[in-house]
Amino acid sequence: MKSKISWAEPYKMKMVELLKMTNSKQRTKAIKEAGYNTFLLKSEDVYIDLLTDSGTNSMSDRQWGAFMTGDEAYAGSKSFYKLEKAIQQFYGYKYIIPTHQGRAAENILSKILIKKGDVIPGNMYFTTTRLHQELAGGQFFDIIIDEAHDPFNEHPFKGNIDISKLDKLVKKYGAKKIPYVSLATNVNLAGGQPISMENLKELRHYTKKHKIRIIHDMTRVAENAYFIQQREKGYEKKSIKEIVKEICSHTDGATMSAKKDALVNIGGFLATNEWDVYEEARNLVVVYEGLHTYGGLAGRDMEAIAIGIEESLDDFHQHARVGQVEYLGTKMIEYKIPIVKPIGGHGIFVDAKSFLPHLNQEQYPAQTLAAEIYIEGGIRTMERGIVSAGRKSNGENHKPKLELVRFTIPRRVYTQAHMDVIAESAASVYDRRKHIKGLKMIYEPKYLRFFQAKFETIK
Ligand code: F0G
């Protein structure tokens, strides 16, 4: 991998989707109508869509081909058994329940494992994951290392867990109150930052001693494995496939949003090595999703996921995938734009607090910046700051240290020229940053407010 020739994509294009080009006047109107919330823009008004890497992947010809072979039987679909086999083979988990996407798996698992008053430690929260833990009666505690909350700290494994923080929770509440540690690989809200195998092994050692499960949010596990291969001693010569299997082997079960790593547009699953948990999940899934051999998915979707899992574990694929993100991040650094470092796996996270230091957090710097980036270049990004963090049970705002705008890169979708335009647009906004005013919230929904909240500019 360390040759002088730069990476390039291990695929070529067979079909393209034409985009509508807009001007800044049209975009100023569109974002105003969307209440300065990029989630409420119409996608046809967006030129480069970096809202998320979720469900926005390009599927391969093999995946599209497999669509035609989907077995749409209500029960016992052939496609289910293919998916089950792929998950057992590549991830190593024993029992599998398909779900329509990641949060459905989180819902079912939280309902089974969490009792009222339980404590769920995790390496930084994710919005839907934490909400399901709370709705099931649990309380989430962040046990990620402190470095993860500092956007410029260059720790190579900012997803690591601080075992002493976990130990404090165990001492305070007792291990019986902790049904599992909620462990994410390539932590999304920290900026797509990996956990090291060494840290995971320490965590396994500690949790075994205290009889606490590890439930793995494996949404971006292959990207995490890529960083382990690049950065961790002893893993240079291991393949992504081997590293992923090893990561999973140190955990007891998983929830997965296949819409990311696994290169599809919809799908997810719950996996466990425990028969009792599986049995309950198999029963609950029929209440919320569908029979346990389709769980809210079409047979064709399960076919595409089975193939996507395998494609995601190809070393050349991951090198090009993370390489493209690194290319964009390096350009942004050249333009002096403050981004989270090290550059993460699924996108570039711009630090809105340093970008717009004249705004306080209640003027929503990241929300404001996302709106400006859209007006500038038709580029849609996502707020990952105080709006996404929501409110505590006592009604107060969570005030996360990280106030970020996420430029998330869909897999196998955009070109290097698109990356140039994105960096140039961000640089233009940076040049006029001093004139940018903040926002005020004028509508706030009760759950996961970032999706539908509306804002107005401060005069
Ligand atoms: N876990 C992580 C780490 C995620 O990033 C997501 C989704 C989920 C769970 C939930 O999965 O969307 O399939 O229900 N993240 C998307 C994002 C929405 O844009 O980061 P889902």
Short mmCIF file of all heavy atoms in Angstrom, two decimals, residues 5 221 316 420:
data_model
loop_
_atom_site.label_atom_id
_atom_site.label_comp_id
_atom_site.label_asym_id
_atom_site.label_seq_id
_atom_site.Cartn_x
_atom_site.Cartn_y
_atom_site.Cartn_z
N ILE A 5 2.77 5.56 -6.12
CA ILE A 5 1.59 5.84 -6.95
C ILE A 5 0.39 6.06 -6.04
O ILE A 5 0.18 5.28 -5.10
CB ILE A 5 1.33 4.66 -7.92
CG1 ILE A 5 2.53 4.55 -8.87
CG2 ILE A 5 0.03 4.85 -8.69
CD1 ILE A 5 2.53 3.33 -9.74
N VAL A 221 -17.58 -0.39 10.84
CA VAL A 221 -16.48 -1.23 11.37
C VAL A 221 -15.34 -1.40 10.37
O VAL A 221 -14.16 -1.45 10.74
CB VAL A 221 -17.02 -2.61 11.84
CG1 VAL A 221 -17.57 -3.44 10.70
CG2 VAL A 221 -15.95 -3.40 12.58
N PHE A 316 -8.58 -2.58 -1.23
CA PHE A 316 -8.48 -1.48 -2.21
C PHE A 316 -9.70 -0.56 -2.11
O PHE A 316 -9.59 0.65 -2.27
CB PHE A 316 -8.34 -2.04 -3.63
CG PHE A 316 -7.01 -2.71 -3.84
CD1 PHE A 316 -6.88 -4.09 -3.80
CD2 PHE A 316 -5.86 -1.94 -4.04
CE1 PHE A 316 -5.65 -4.69 -3.97
CE2 PHE A 316 -4.62 -2.54 -4.21
CZ PHE A 316 -4.52 -3.92 -4.17
N ASP A 420 -12.64 18.95 -4.93
CA ASP A 420 -12.03 20.27 -5.11
C ASP A 420 -13.06 21.38 -4.93
O ASP A 420 -12.83 22.37 -4.23
CB ASP A 420 -11.40 20.39 -6.51
CG ASP A 420 -10.15 19.51 -6.65
OD1 ASP A 420 -9.57 19.15 -5.62
OD2 ASP A 420 -9.78 19.19 -7.80
#
